[in-house]
Amino acid sequence: MSSKSYQFTSESVTEGHPDKLCDQVSDAVLDHVMREDPTGRVAIETLVTTGTCMVAGEMTTQCYVPVDEVARGVIADIGYTRAKYGFDSETVGVLTAIHAQSSNIAAGVDTGGAGDQGMMFGFACDDTDTYMPMPIHLAHRLAERLAYVRKTGELDYLRPDGKTQVTVRYEDDRPVEVTKILIAAQHRRGMNQDEILSDMLQYVIEPIVPADMCKPGLPCLVNRTGVFEIGGPQADTGLTGRKIIVDTYGGYARHGGGAFSGKDPTKVDRSGAYFARYVAKNVVAAGLARKCEIEVSYAIGDPDPFSIAVFCFGTEVIPEDRIAKIIGANFDFSPRGMIRHLDLQRPIFRKTAAYGHFGRDDKDFTWERLDAVEMLKEEAGL
């Protein structure tokens, strides 16, 4: 039988990308509320452009939130601390337009129901030891590395904005080779692009991309327009929720369309996607399938899911419908059940807002735990 070969590409962005900056401000506001008022309701979005940061949305809480201070702190921490970068934590104008959660929505959430209708997806596969598809896993790690070498001073000419893109060749649905890498790295004026390319290879790509996944002459493309001196909000307007594919599986799995950042865990856009990832990851780690995608849907105000579907793409070792029954019998997909199981009413969200919400080794990312593996093996008779 001939093998099926294809190439798949995913991208990531650094914490200084305008959209990611907005996600982090929105989640930092959420964290402030979760720290002081864990049952507070938050749905915040941020917009940035040259010299301006606008924070808007809904918030119902008993605590005071110094939005201006929170936003400036995030902007400074990312590295926008000089006016010459076109965006500066001290001089940026921070505008707010925040109101309380609609009483029509609160009526359903107060009784334990979902805060909105919609569908969410969770996914896991055995491409990597993080149970993430290899293209998005490597793209995230490269973007993280860009920020690391900038902040440590190893490459002190780098600026906060940046993007990465990785193409992986698959044979029979297994990743076998990285075939192309693309990096956009914002830098100070007057830099030689050949020097930047050499540094990207030595300090960013080689420490991250496994050597056994690369052939000699692997195309590594950097700053394809020639220079990348103007970046961040000076170059592009940023907005919360505009990098939803970067946040999840790099396009390798489906997405329900709802963003995560700025939303408290009663919003099933967030908690439902986190819990579906948790279940899918445990299914794969338990050996029930090599790939698992779970769709869950909700009706506003209802505590029980509208539907749950399981897809294993022919990689399952027991029937797919049996896996679905095991999941339905052992996992509580109600908003309160998911929040309780994953302990989501905590100030843990800003750090999720850059470099992916999934596939990261952090004790606060409770949806990455593998604590249901033995139960699933027992239920499946493995």
Side-chain angles (χ1 to χ4, degrees):
M1 180 182 295
S2 62
S3 64
K4 179 183 177 182
S5 177
Y6 62 91
Q7 297 189 63
F8 197 90
T9 301
S10 295
E11 73 156 352
S12 183
V13 298
T14 66
E15 62 206 60
H17 184 278
D19 294 327
K20 273 290 141 216
L21 188 158
C22 291
D23 286 344
Q24 290 168 89
V25 170
S26 296
D27 270 338
V29 171
L30 169 62
D31 279 352
H32 187 94
V33 174
M34 289 291 101
R35 189 174 295 109
E36 303 293 329
D37 180 12
T39 61
R41 306 279 169 74
V42 179
I44 290 295
E45 297 185 13
T46 303
L47 177 148
V48 294
T49 187
T50 304
T52 303
C53 173
M54 182 164 189
V55 183
E58 61 182 50
M59 189 187 305
T60 299
T61 180
Q62 299 300 311
C63 71
Y64 168 69
V65 183
V67 175
D68 180 280
E69 177 183 323
V70 170
R72 292 183 192 279
V74 172
I75 294 165
D77 185 55
I78 290 170
Y80 288 109
T81 54
R82 302 179 67 186
K84 67 186 298 183
Y85 297 167
F87 197 75
D88 172 33
S89 61
E90 293 187 0
T91 61
V92 63
V94 180
L95 312 175
T96 60
I98 298 173
H99 58 86
Q101 183 179 57
S102 161
S103 59
N104 296 159
I105 297 174
V109 180
D110 290 344
T111 58
D116 203 352
Q117 70 175 52
M119 67 282 192
M120 302 86 219
F121 289 89
F123 179 77
C125 64
D126 63 357
D127 275 14
T128 62
D129 59 7
T130 62
Y131 296 91
M132 290 289 285
M134 183 169 285
I136 188 65
H137 171 75
L138 291 177
H140 281 325
R141 303 294 77 78
L142 288 171
E144 269 187 322
R145 183 70 183 175
L146 267 180
Y148 174 81
V149 296
R150 170 177 63 89
K151 289 185 169 183
T152 60
E154 287 184 71
L155 300 179
D156 60 2
Y157 59 80
L158 291 179
R159 300 295 180 251
D161 200 357
K163 303 176 78 170
T164 63
Q165 191 166 288
V166 177
T167 302
V168 174
R169 181 171 63 85
Y170 283 75
E171 297 283 352
D172 286 336
D173 242 12
R174 294 289 195 178
V176 297
E177 179 189 1
V178 176
T179 60
K180 191 171 290 187
I181 295 172
L182 176 64
I183 292 179
Q186 186 191 8
H187 56 85
R188 71 171 175 239
R189 294 186 183 276
M191 286 298 300
N192 179 281
Q193 293 302 311
D194 289 337
E195 179 183 352
I196 294 176
L197 172 58
S198 176
D199 285 344
M200 291 299 105
L201 290 169
Q202 180 179 351
Y203 294 99
V204 178
I205 296 173
E206 289 179 5
I208 298 298
V209 181
D212 61 358
M213 291 292 292
C214 306
K215 288 183 179 179
L218 168 69
C220 298
L221 312 177
V222 177
N223 294 349
R224 298 302 289 165
T225 60
V227 295
F228 185 9
E229 296 173 345
I230 303 171
Q234 184 183 23
D236 283 310
T237 298
L239 188 65
T240 297
R242 208 155 56 179
K243 281 285 176 282
I244 59 176
I245 301 303
V246 169
D247 285 342
T248 52
Y249 308 102
Y252 197 87
R254 286 173 283 197
H255 196 296
F260 301 155
S261 289
K263 296 177 180 177
D264 76 80
T266 67
K267 278 69 171 176
V268 286
D269 277 339
R270 185 166 219 158
S271 53
Y274 284 8
F275 201 70
R277 159 66 178 177
Y278 165 70
V279 176
K281 182 177 180 181
N282 276 269
V283 165
V284 174
L288 276 63
R290 289 195 298 105
K291 290 184 181 181
C292 182
E293 183 181 76
I294 296 174
E295 185 207 36
V296 59
S297 67
Y298 295 88
I300 189 170
D302 288 352
D304 297 321
F306 203 67
S307 66
I308 300 176
V310 179
F311 307 93
C312 297
F313 311 100
T315 69
E316 64 273 13
V317 300
I318 63 173
E320 211 170 54
D321 60 350
R322 189 176 166 204
I323 296 175
K325 288 178 181 177
I326 292 172
I327 289 171
N330 290 279
F331 295 95
D332 182 0
F333 277 85
S334 70
R336 284 180 176 172
M338 296 186 297
I339 290 169
R340 181 175 58 252
H341 192 92
L342 298 181
D343 192 16
L344 293 179
Q345 289 178 317
R346 296 179 295 138
I348 60 172
F349 296 107
R350 184 198 155 183
K351 59 184 172 182
T352 69
Y355 313 118
H357 293 246
F358 308 126
R360 294 167 62 188
D361 183 16
D362 187 303
K363 64 180 178 60
D364 287 328
F365 287 47
T366 51
W367 49 95
E368 295 296 316
R369 295 184 310 209
L370 292 175
D371 55 2
V373 168
E374 295 307 316
M375 177 273 291
L376 286 167
K377 286 182 177 179
E378 183 176 343
E379 290 285 324
L382 300 181

